[in-house]
Amino acid sequence: MWQVVGQSRAVSLLQRSLERGSIAHAYLVVGPPHVGKMTLALNLAQALNCPEAEPPCGLCDSCQKIASGKHADVQTIGLDSNNSAEIGIDQIRQVQHSSNLPPFEGRHKVFIIDRAELMSTEAANCLLKTLEEPAAGVVFILLAANGGVLPATVVSRCQKLELSPLPASEVEAVLSQRWGVEQQRAELLARLSHGCLGWAIAAASDERLLKQRDERVEGLLDIIGADYGVRFDYVPRLVGWFGQSRGLVQEILDLWLDWWRDLLLVKLGSGGAITNIDHEAVLVGMARGYRLEQIRSVINGIQATGEQLRQNANPRLAFEVLMLSIPEGRGG
Ligand SMILES: [Zn+2]
């Protein structure tokens, strides 16, 4: 049974290829973080090696070993633990070497490259050589949030599978039916996940994720309520976090964006569609303090900041401009 939820297009395509024995040598699975790319990749690795009549059965020795990362022929490659920013050529050279050896215990060797967009240019070129001369029985599965960042030569060697976020109602149903999450919490997690089930499941079992989100909302409310002087004092903290992890700062900006989009929805009379349903009363009160154009302009400001940071603008300057883009002292 395929465990990935709601990705019926990708699953039925793979299922048909398996039945026909026409599996590609390489797949590129594209979709936002936590949407189910790794689950799909592991399911495919299971299906390729499961000896049962309807693979992947999920129960046999082979399926279980793959699920727990202990199968000798299924290898996951990602950022190594040394906090490096890219997947290096040495890692891909090892893959290349290993792909030329026969499977040890299964039928297929499967190499899953997580966050493939982080491969260095040398690593991507090395992988390309391997993809151009595929060894029999070897399957590569590249996972990426944005396939556009990969060299076109690599992409052209892969069959592309796109995974989309699920509707919030589907995430909510899975949380309550499969994971026993209580209804109100399931609804909140489903909205906050933006259809990425993996995040919702992680947040259902790890209290810290919601707590972290609550702290970030509080931080945002402090900033909205503060004058420019206090906000500028906050900028060095953002700059510091940015230095540690760009991903962390993007998560914070995404949360700010959610908040201001919620204000826009409330203002437009579509309060039922908001993300932060546990702060509905605050949002309704706050929306009264702004004109529509002001809310739109803050949304544009947050998006522009994200874009500038991606283009390596000076972070301090980008954050200061962002602070100025939020109208002063109208925190409701
Ligand atoms: Zn099995």
Side-chain angles (χ1 to χ4, degrees), residues 189-225:
L189 293 179
R191 301 258 184 142
L192 293 176
S193 76
H194 294 292
C196 294
L197 182 62
W199 185 88
I201 292 170
S205 57
D206 184 351
E207 299 277 331
R208 283 174 304 180
L209 284 174
L210 260 194
K211 202 167 160 253
Q212 182 186 58
R213 174 258 178 181
D214 290 343
E215 286 164 7
R216 287 175 182 175
V217 169
E218 263 173 51
L220 171 60
L221 292 179
D222 285 348
I223 284 171
I224 292 174

PDB file of all heavy atoms in Angstrom, residues 189-225:
ATOM      1  N   LEU A 189      -3.811  22.795  12.939  1.00  0.00           N
ATOM      2  CA  LEU A 189      -2.584  22.272  12.326  1.00  0.00           C
ATOM      3  C   LEU A 189      -2.734  22.163  10.811  1.00  0.00           C
ATOM      4  O   LEU A 189      -1.792  22.451  10.070  1.00  0.00           O
ATOM      5  CB  LEU A 189      -2.219  20.906  12.919  1.00  0.00           C
ATOM      6  CG  LEU A 189      -1.807  20.906  14.388  1.00  0.00           C
ATOM      7  CD1 LEU A 189      -1.492  19.486  14.853  1.00  0.00           C
ATOM      8  CD2 LEU A 189      -0.606  21.809  14.623  1.00  0.00           C
ATOM      9  N   ALA A 190      -3.941  21.774  10.363  1.00  0.00           N
ATOM     10  CA  ALA A 190      -4.175  21.648   8.924  1.00  0.00           C
ATOM     11  C   ALA A 190      -4.017  23.006   8.242  1.00  0.00           C
ATOM     12  O   ALA A 190      -3.382  23.127   7.200  1.00  0.00           O
ATOM     13  CB  ALA A 190      -5.567  21.084   8.664  1.00  0.00           C
ATOM     14  N   ARG A 191      -4.568  24.057   8.882  1.00  0.00           N
ATOM     15  CA  ARG A 191      -4.447  25.397   8.276  1.00  0.00           C
ATOM     16  C   ARG A 191      -2.998  25.860   8.280  1.00  0.00           C
ATOM     17  O   ARG A 191      -2.491  26.385   7.301  1.00  0.00           O
ATOM     18  CB  ARG A 191      -5.284  26.396   9.070  1.00  0.00           C
ATOM     19  CG  ARG A 191      -6.739  26.030   9.126  1.00  0.00           C
ATOM     20  CD  ARG A 191      -7.545  26.858   8.167  1.00  0.00           C
ATOM     21  NE  ARG A 191      -8.942  26.555   8.315  1.00  0.00           N
ATOM     22  CZ  ARG A 191      -9.906  27.462   8.237  1.00  0.00           C
ATOM     23  NH1 ARG A 191      -9.608  28.718   8.010  1.00  0.00           N
ATOM     24  NH2 ARG A 191     -11.156  27.113   8.370  1.00  0.00           N
ATOM     25  N   LEU A 192      -2.314  25.672   9.421  1.00  0.00           N
ATOM     26  CA  LEU A 192      -0.929  26.144   9.528  1.00  0.00           C
ATOM     27  C   LEU A 192       0.000  25.384   8.582  1.00  0.00           C
ATOM     28  O   LEU A 192       1.026  25.913   8.161  1.00  0.00           O
ATOM     29  CB  LEU A 192      -0.421  25.994  10.973  1.00  0.00           C
ATOM     30  CG  LEU A 192      -1.068  26.879  12.038  1.00  0.00           C
ATOM     31  CD1 LEU A 192      -0.511  26.538  13.413  1.00  0.00           C
ATOM     32  CD2 LEU A 192      -0.846  28.356  11.735  1.00  0.00           C
ATOM     33  N   SER A 193      -0.363  24.150   8.247  1.00  0.00           N
ATOM     34  CA  SER A 193       0.520  23.324   7.396  1.00  0.00           C
ATOM     35  C   SER A 193       0.486  23.749   5.936  1.00  0.00           C
ATOM     36  O   SER A 193       1.354  23.359   5.162  1.00  0.00           O
ATOM     37  CB  SER A 193       0.108  21.862   7.480  1.00  0.00           C
ATOM     38  OG  SER A 193      -1.060  21.626   6.706  1.00  0.00           O
ATOM     39  N   HIS A 194      -0.520  24.538   5.544  1.00  0.00           N
ATOM     40  CA  HIS A 194      -0.698  24.913   4.137  1.00  0.00           C
ATOM     41  C   HIS A 194      -0.717  23.693   3.228  1.00  0.00           C
ATOM     42  O   HIS A 194      -0.135  23.706   2.141  1.00  0.00           O
ATOM     43  CB  HIS A 194       0.385  25.896   3.678  1.00  0.00           C
ATOM     44  CG  HIS A 194       0.282  27.215   4.372  1.00  0.00           C
ATOM     45  ND1 HIS A 194      -0.760  28.082   4.160  1.00  0.00           N
ATOM     46  CD2 HIS A 194       1.058  27.799   5.307  1.00  0.00           C
ATOM     47  CE1 HIS A 194      -0.607  29.141   4.912  1.00  0.00           C
ATOM     48  NE2 HIS A 194       0.486  29.006   5.629  1.00  0.00           N
ATOM     49  N   GLY A 195      -1.320  22.620   3.713  1.00  0.00           N
ATOM     50  CA  GLY A 195      -1.481  21.442   2.866  1.00  0.00           C
ATOM     51  C   GLY A 195      -0.280  20.522   2.821  1.00  0.00           C
ATOM     52  O   GLY A 195      -0.270  19.554   2.070  1.00  0.00           O
ATOM     53  N   CYS A 196       0.753  20.820   3.627  1.00  0.00           N
ATOM     54  CA  CYS A 196       1.923  19.950   3.675  1.00  0.00           C
ATOM     55  C   CYS A 196       1.788  19.023   4.880  1.00  0.00           C
ATOM     56  O   CYS A 196       2.133  19.380   6.016  1.00  0.00           O
ATOM     57  CB  CYS A 196       3.203  20.778   3.706  1.00  0.00           C
ATOM     58  SG  CYS A 196       3.411  21.668   2.147  1.00  0.00           S
ATOM     59  N   LEU A 197       1.276  17.840   4.599  1.00  0.00           N
ATOM     60  CA  LEU A 197       0.885  16.905   5.651  1.00  0.00           C
ATOM     61  C   LEU A 197       2.038  16.570   6.592  1.00  0.00           C
ATOM     62  O   LEU A 197       1.835  16.419   7.794  1.00  0.00           O
ATOM     63  CB  LEU A 197       0.337  15.627   4.993  1.00  0.00           C
ATOM     64  CG  LEU A 197      -0.168  14.541   5.939  1.00  0.00           C
ATOM     65  CD1 LEU A 197      -1.335  15.029   6.775  1.00  0.00           C
ATOM     66  CD2 LEU A 197      -0.574  13.295   5.146  1.00  0.00           C
ATOM     67  N   GLY A 198       3.242  16.446   6.048  1.00  0.00           N
ATOM     68  CA  GLY A 198       4.397  16.083   6.873  1.00  0.00           C
ATOM     69  C   GLY A 198       4.608  17.056   8.022  1.00  0.00           C
ATOM     70  O   GLY A 198       4.897  16.659   9.147  1.00  0.00           O
ATOM     71  N   TRP A 199       4.403  18.351   7.747  1.00  0.00           N
ATOM     72  CA  TRP A 199       4.564  19.339   8.812  1.00  0.00           C
ATOM     73  C   TRP A 199       3.473  19.147   9.859  1.00  0.00           C
ATOM     74  O   TRP A 199       3.741  19.176  11.069  1.00  0.00           O
ATOM     75  CB  TRP A 199       4.502  20.771   8.260  1.00  0.00           C
ATOM     76  CG  TRP A 199       4.785  21.779   9.338  1.00  0.00           C
ATOM     77  CD1 TRP A 199       6.019  22.250   9.693  1.00  0.00           C
ATOM     78  CD2 TRP A 199       3.844  22.384  10.231  1.00  0.00           C
ATOM     79  NE1 TRP A 199       5.899  23.110  10.757  1.00  0.00           N
ATOM     80  CE2 TRP A 199       4.570  23.217  11.113  1.00  0.00           C
ATOM     81  CE3 TRP A 199       2.465  22.301  10.392  1.00  0.00           C
ATOM     82  CZ2 TRP A 199       3.965  23.962  12.128  1.00  0.00           C
ATOM     83  CZ3 TRP A 199       1.851  23.036  11.407  1.00  0.00           C
ATOM     84  CH2 TRP A 199       2.603  23.867  12.255  1.00  0.00           C
ATOM     85  N   ALA A 200       2.237  18.938   9.391  1.00  0.00           N
ATOM     86  CA  ALA A 200       1.110  18.798  10.312  1.00  0.00           C
ATOM     87  C   ALA A 200       1.300  17.589  11.226  1.00  0.00           C
ATOM     88  O   ALA A 200       1.051  17.660  12.435  1.00  0.00           O
ATOM     89  CB  ALA A 200      -0.199  18.675   9.525  1.00  0.00           C
ATOM     90  N   ILE A 201       1.788  16.486  10.654  1.00  0.00           N
ATOM     91  CA  ILE A 201       2.013  15.281  11.459  1.00  0.00           C
ATOM     92  C   ILE A 201       3.138  15.516  12.466  1.00  0.00           C
ATOM     93  O   ILE A 201       3.034  15.160  13.641  1.00  0.00           O
ATOM     94  CB  ILE A 201       2.351  14.073  10.550  1.00  0.00           C
ATOM     95  CG1 ILE A 201       1.110  13.689   9.736  1.00  0.00           C
ATOM     96  CG2 ILE A 201       2.830  12.884  11.371  1.00  0.00           C
ATOM     97  CD1 ILE A 201       1.384  12.669   8.648  1.00  0.00           C
ATOM     98  N   ALA A 202       4.197  16.184  12.001  1.00  0.00           N
ATOM     99  CA  ALA A 202       5.311  16.487  12.918  1.00  0.00           C
ATOM    100  C   ALA A 202       4.820  17.370  14.060  1.00  0.00           C
ATOM    101  O   ALA A 202       5.146  17.134  15.229  1.00  0.00           O
ATOM    102  CB  ALA A 202       6.442  17.169  12.156  1.00  0.00           C
ATOM    103  N   ALA A 203       3.999  18.379  13.740  1.00  0.00           N
ATOM    104  CA  ALA A 203       3.520  19.304  14.770  1.00  0.00           C
ATOM    105  C   ALA A 203       2.530  18.627  15.715  1.00  0.00           C
ATOM    106  O   ALA A 203       2.413  19.003  16.881  1.00  0.00           O
ATOM    107  CB  ALA A 203       2.879  20.531  14.129  1.00  0.00           C
ATOM    108  N   ALA A 204       1.816  17.605  15.212  1.00  0.00           N
ATOM    109  CA  ALA A 204       0.865  16.887  16.065  1.00  0.00           C
ATOM    110  C   ALA A 204       1.600  16.084  17.134  1.00  0.00           C
ATOM    111  O   ALA A 204       1.091  15.867  18.231  1.00  0.00           O
ATOM    112  CB  ALA A 204      -0.015  15.963  15.223  1.00  0.00           C
ATOM    113  N   SER A 205       2.820  15.634  16.817  1.00  0.00           N
ATOM    114  CA  SER A 205       3.521  14.783  17.780  1.00  0.00           C
ATOM    115  C   SER A 205       4.622  15.538  18.527  1.00  0.00           C
ATOM    116  O   SER A 205       5.157  15.043  19.496  1.00  0.00           O
ATOM    117  CB  SER A 205       4.104  13.556  17.075  1.00  0.00           C
ATOM    118  OG  SER A 205       4.959  13.991  16.044  1.00  0.00           O
ATOM    119  N   ASP A 206       4.946  16.735  18.071  1.00  0.00           N
ATOM    120  CA  ASP A 206       6.017  17.489  18.722  1.00  0.00           C
ATOM    121  C   ASP A 206       5.504  18.880  19.120  1.00  0.00           C
ATOM    122  O   ASP A 206       5.383  19.767  18.285  1.00  0.00           O
ATOM    123  CB  ASP A 206       7.220  17.607  17.765  1.00  0.00           C
ATOM    124  CG  ASP A 206       8.408  18.298  18.417  1.00  0.00           C
ATOM    125  OD1 ASP A 206       8.254  18.835  19.541  1.00  0.00           O
ATOM    126  OD2 ASP A 206       9.495  18.310  17.805  1.00  0.00           O
ATOM    127  N   GLU A 207       5.205  19.024  20.406  1.00  0.00           N
ATOM    128  CA  GLU A 207       4.635  20.273  20.935  1.00  0.00           C
ATOM    129  C   GLU A 207       5.481  21.505  20.595  1.00  0.00           C
ATOM    130  O   GLU A 207       4.982  22.615  20.485  1.00  0.00           O
ATOM    131  CB  GLU A 207       4.555  20.193  22.473  1.00  0.00           C
ATOM    132  CG  GLU A 207       3.676  19.080  23.013  1.00  0.00           C
ATOM    133  CD  GLU A 207       2.222  19.497  23.030  1.00  0.00           C
ATOM    134  OE1 GLU A 207       1.970  20.711  23.159  1.00  0.00           O
ATOM    135  OE2 GLU A 207       1.352  18.608  22.891  1.00  0.00           O
ATOM    136  N   ARG A 208       6.772  21.279  20.444  1.00  0.00           N
ATOM    137  CA  ARG A 208       7.682  22.415  20.265  1.00  0.00           C
ATOM    138  C   ARG A 208       7.379  23.232  19.012  1.00  0.00           C
ATOM    139  O   ARG A 208       7.574  24.432  18.980  1.00  0.00           O
ATOM    140  CB  ARG A 208       9.132  21.926  20.213  1.00  0.00           C
ATOM    141  CG  ARG A 208       9.696  21.570  21.578  1.00  0.00           C
ATOM    142  CD  ARG A 208      11.054  20.955  21.450  1.00  0.00           C
ATOM    143  NE  ARG A 208      11.002  19.767  20.569  1.00  0.00           N
ATOM    144  CZ  ARG A 208      12.064  19.026  20.269  1.00  0.00           C
ATOM    145  NH1 ARG A 208      13.240  19.333  20.735  1.00  0.00           N
ATOM    146  NH2 ARG A 208      11.936  17.958  19.494  1.00  0.00           N
ATOM    147  N   LEU A 209       6.869  22.545  17.965  1.00  0.00           N
ATOM    148  CA  LEU A 209       6.612  23.260  16.717  1.00  0.00           C
ATOM    149  C   LEU A 209       5.520  24.322  16.889  1.00  0.00           C
ATOM    150  O   LEU A 209       5.646  25.444  16.400  1.00  0.00           O
ATOM    151  CB  LEU A 209       6.239  22.280  15.605  1.00  0.00           C
ATOM    152  CG  LEU A 209       7.407  21.488  15.022  1.00  0.00           C
ATOM    153  CD1 LEU A 209       6.914  20.452  14.034  1.00  0.00           C
ATOM    154  CD2 LEU A 209       8.385  22.422  14.336  1.00  0.00           C
ATOM    155  N   LEU A 210       4.433  23.944  17.601  1.00  0.00           N
ATOM    156  CA  LEU A 210       3.360  24.921  17.831  1.00  0.00           C
ATOM    157  C   LEU A 210       3.824  26.006  18.791  1.00  0.00           C
ATOM    158  O   LEU A 210       3.456  27.173  18.654  1.00  0.00           O
ATOM    159  CB  LEU A 210       2.126  24.238  18.410  1.00  0.00           C
ATOM    160  CG  LEU A 210       0.983  23.928  17.440  1.00  0.00           C
ATOM    161  CD1 LEU A 210      -0.278  23.588  18.211  1.00  0.00           C
ATOM    162  CD2 LEU A 210       0.714  25.100  16.504  1.00  0.00           C
ATOM    163  N   LYS A 211       4.630  25.606  19.779  1.00  0.00           N
ATOM    164  CA  LYS A 211       5.124  26.574  20.747  1.00  0.00           C
ATOM    165  C   LYS A 211       6.000  27.612  20.052  1.00  0.00           C
ATOM    166  O   LYS A 211       5.895  28.818  20.296  1.00  0.00           O
ATOM    167  CB  LYS A 211       5.933  25.838  21.833  1.00  0.00           C
ATOM    168  CG  LYS A 211       6.049  26.603  23.109  1.00  0.00           C
ATOM    169  CD  LYS A 211       6.565  25.745  24.249  1.00  0.00           C
ATOM    170  CE  LYS A 211       7.122  26.663  25.314  1.00  0.00           C
ATOM    171  NZ  LYS A 211       8.578  26.686  25.413  1.00  0.00           N
ATOM    172  N   GLN A 212       6.844  27.127  19.162  1.00  0.00           N
ATOM    173  CA  GLN A 212       7.708  28.014  18.387  1.00  0.00           C
ATOM    174  C   GLN A 212       6.874  28.975  17.530  1.00  0.00           C
ATOM    175  O   GLN A 212       7.143  30.174  17.451  1.00  0.00           O
ATOM    176  CB  GLN A 212       8.581  27.143  17.485  1.00  0.00           C
ATOM    177  CG  GLN A 212       9.570  27.895  16.657  1.00  0.00           C
ATOM    178  CD  GLN A 212      10.275  26.938  15.696  1.00  0.00           C
ATOM    179  OE1 GLN A 212       9.630  26.269  14.888  1.00  0.00           O
ATOM    180  NE2 GLN A 212      11.582  26.852  15.806  1.00  0.00           N
ATOM    181  N   ARG A 213       5.825  28.436  16.937  1.00  0.00           N
ATOM    182  CA  ARG A 213       4.949  29.278  16.121  1.00  0.00           C
ATOM    183  C   ARG A 213       4.269  30.334  17.004  1.00  0.00           C
ATOM    184  O   ARG A 213       4.177  31.507  16.616  1.00  0.00           O
ATOM    185  CB  ARG A 213       3.923  28.384  15.423  1.00  0.00           C
ATOM    186  CG  ARG A 213       2.852  29.120  14.647  1.00  0.00           C
ATOM    187  CD  ARG A 213       1.575  29.142  15.439  1.00  0.00           C
ATOM    188  NE  ARG A 213       0.489  29.858  14.798  1.00  0.00           N
ATOM    189  CZ  ARG A 213      -0.700  29.993  15.346  1.00  0.00           C
ATOM    190  NH1 ARG A 213      -0.948  29.445  16.516  1.00  0.00           N
ATOM    191  NH2 ARG A 213      -1.636  30.668  14.735  1.00  0.00           N
ATOM    192  N   ASP A 214       3.829  29.948  18.219  1.00  0.00           N
ATOM    193  CA  ASP A 214       3.196  30.910  19.127  1.00  0.00           C
ATOM    194  C   ASP A 214       4.168  32.036  19.481  1.00  0.00           C
ATOM    195  O   ASP A 214       3.804  33.207  19.517  1.00  0.00           O
ATOM    196  CB  ASP A 214       2.729  30.214  20.412  1.00  0.00           C
ATOM    197  CG  ASP A 214       1.543  29.285  20.150  1.00  0.00           C
ATOM    198  OD1 ASP A 214       0.900  29.438  19.083  1.00  0.00           O
ATOM    199  OD2 ASP A 214       1.282  28.407  20.985  1.00  0.00           O
ATOM    200  N   GLU A 215       5.422  31.666  19.744  1.00  0.00           N
ATOM    201  CA  GLU A 215       6.425  32.684  20.081  1.00  0.00           C
ATOM    202  C   GLU A 215       6.651  33.648  18.914  1.00  0.00           C
ATOM    203  O   GLU A 215       6.816  34.850  19.108  1.00  0.00           O
ATOM    204  CB  GLU A 215       7.758  32.012  20.452  1.00  0.00           C
ATOM    205  CG  GLU A 215       7.734  31.365  21.828  1.00  0.00           C
ATOM    206  CD  GLU A 215       8.898  30.390  22.037  1.00  0.00           C
ATOM    207  OE1 GLU A 215       9.794  30.321  21.167  1.00  0.00           O
ATOM    208  OE2 GLU A 215       8.876  29.701  23.068  1.00  0.00           O
ATOM    209  N   ARG A 216       6.644  33.084  17.706  1.00  0.00           N
ATOM    210  CA  ARG A 216       6.855  33.941  16.536  1.00  0.00           C
ATOM    211  C   ARG A 216       5.671  34.877  16.316  1.00  0.00           C
ATOM    212  O   ARG A 216       5.852  36.030  15.916  1.00  0.00           O
ATOM    213  CB  ARG A 216       7.086  33.081  15.288  1.00  0.00           C
ATOM    214  CG  ARG A 216       8.459  32.431  15.313  1.00  0.00           C
ATOM    215  CD  ARG A 216       8.648  31.502  14.148  1.00  0.00           C
ATOM    216  NE  ARG A 216       9.955  30.850  14.226  1.00  0.00           N
ATOM    217  CZ  ARG A 216      10.369  29.916  13.395  1.00  0.00           C
ATOM    218  NH1 ARG A 216       9.584  29.500  12.413  1.00  0.00           N
ATOM    219  NH2 ARG A 216      11.561  29.375  13.529  1.00  0.00           N
ATOM    220  N   VAL A 217       4.461  34.389  16.565  1.00  0.00           N
ATOM    221  CA  VAL A 217       3.288  35.263  16.443  1.00  0.00           C
ATOM    222  C   VAL A 217       3.394  36.391  17.471  1.00  0.00           C
ATOM    223  O   VAL A 217       3.170  37.562  17.164  1.00  0.00           O
ATOM    224  CB  VAL A 217       1.970  34.474  16.629  1.00  0.00           C
ATOM    225  CG1 VAL A 217       0.789  35.421  16.765  1.00  0.00           C
ATOM    226  CG2 VAL A 217       1.743  33.525  15.463  1.00  0.00           C
ATOM    227  N   GLU A 218       3.767  36.022  18.717  1.00  0.00           N
ATOM    228  CA  GLU A 218       3.923  37.048  19.757  1.00  0.00           C
ATOM    229  C   GLU A 218       4.964  38.088  19.353  1.00  0.00           C
ATOM    230  O   GLU A 218       4.762  39.286  19.535  1.00  0.00           O
ATOM    231  CB  GLU A 218       4.368  36.406  21.072  1.00  0.00           C
ATOM    232  CG  GLU A 218       3.220  36.140  22.017  1.00  0.00           C
ATOM    233  CD  GLU A 218       3.690  35.341  23.222  1.00  0.00           C
ATOM    234  OE1 GLU A 218       4.688  35.750  23.852  1.00  0.00           O
ATOM    235  OE2 GLU A 218       3.066  34.305  23.515  1.00  0.00           O
ATOM    236  N   GLY A 219       6.083  37.613  18.804  1.00  0.00           N
ATOM    237  CA  GLY A 219       7.138  38.514  18.346  1.00  0.00           C
ATOM    238  C   GLY A 219       6.612  39.472  17.298  1.00  0.00           C
ATOM    239  O   GLY A 219       6.886  40.678  17.327  1.00  0.00           O
ATOM    240  N   LEU A 220       5.811  38.960  16.384  1.00  0.00           N
ATOM    241  CA  LEU A 220       5.242  39.797  15.327  1.00  0.00           C
ATOM    242  C   LEU A 220       4.282  40.830  15.929  1.00  0.00           C
ATOM    243  O   LEU A 220       4.322  42.010  15.555  1.00  0.00           O
ATOM    244  CB  LEU A 220       4.509  38.922  14.305  1.00  0.00           C
ATOM    245  CG  LEU A 220       3.689  39.685  13.269  1.00  0.00           C
ATOM    246  CD1 LEU A 220       4.568  40.611  12.444  1.00  0.00           C
ATOM    247  CD2 LEU A 220       2.951  38.713  12.339  1.00  0.00           C
ATOM    248  N   LEU A 221       3.443  40.388  16.878  1.00  0.00           N
ATOM    249  CA  LEU A 221       2.492  41.320  17.484  1.00  0.00           C
ATOM    250  C   LEU A 221       3.226  42.433  18.225  1.00  0.00           C
ATOM    251  O   LEU A 221       2.813  43.596  18.191  1.00  0.00           O
ATOM    252  CB  LEU A 221       1.539  40.577  18.431  1.00  0.00           C
ATOM    253  CG  LEU A 221       0.573  39.611  17.729  1.00  0.00           C
ATOM    254  CD1 LEU A 221      -0.308  38.893  18.742  1.00  0.00           C
ATOM    255  CD2 LEU A 221      -0.289  40.345  16.713  1.00  0.00           C
ATOM    256  N   ASP A 222       4.341  42.080  18.889  1.00  0.00           N
ATOM    257  CA  ASP A 222       5.158  43.100  19.571  1.00  0.00           C
ATOM    258  C   ASP A 222       5.645  44.139  18.570  1.00  0.00           C
ATOM    259  O   ASP A 222       5.607  45.336  18.833  1.00  0.00           O
ATOM    260  CB  ASP A 222       6.375  42.452  20.247  1.00  0.00           C
ATOM    261  CG  ASP A 222       5.981  41.696  21.515  1.00  0.00           C
ATOM    262  OD1 ASP A 222       4.827  41.882  21.968  1.00  0.00           O
ATOM    263  OD2 ASP A 222       6.809  40.913  22.015  1.00  0.00           O
ATOM    264  N   ILE A 223       6.104  43.654  17.427  1.00  0.00           N
ATOM    265  CA  ILE A 223       6.651  44.563  16.418  1.00  0.00           C
ATOM    266  C   ILE A 223       5.553  45.462  15.843  1.00  0.00           C
ATOM    267  O   ILE A 223       5.723  46.666  15.689  1.00  0.00           O
ATOM    268  CB  ILE A 223       7.347  43.760  15.303  1.00  0.00           C
ATOM    269  CG1 ILE A 223       8.692  43.263  15.827  1.00  0.00           C
ATOM    270  CG2 ILE A 223       7.541  44.602  14.048  1.00  0.00           C
ATOM    271  CD1 ILE A 223       9.380  42.302  14.917  1.00  0.00           C
ATOM    272  N   ILE A 224       4.400  44.861  15.569  1.00  0.00           N
ATOM    273  CA  ILE A 224       3.296  45.648  15.010  1.00  0.00           C
ATOM    274  C   ILE A 224       2.902  46.761  15.980  1.00  0.00           C
ATOM    275  O   ILE A 224       2.627  47.892  15.578  1.00  0.00           O
ATOM    276  CB  ILE A 224       2.076  44.737  14.704  1.00  0.00           C
ATOM    277  CG1 ILE A 224       2.409  43.784  13.547  1.00  0.00           C
ATOM    278  CG2 ILE A 224       0.846  45.564  14.377  1.00  0.00           C
ATOM    279  CD1 ILE A 224       1.325  42.750  13.257  1.00  0.00           C
ATOM    280  N   GLY A 225       2.909  46.440  17.283  1.00  0.00           N
ATOM    281  CA  GLY A 225       2.478  47.416  18.286  1.00  0.00           C
ATOM    282  C   GLY A 225       3.542  48.447  18.643  1.00  0.00           C
ATOM    283  O   GLY A 225       3.246  49.450  19.287  1.00  0.00           O
TER     284      GLY A 225
END
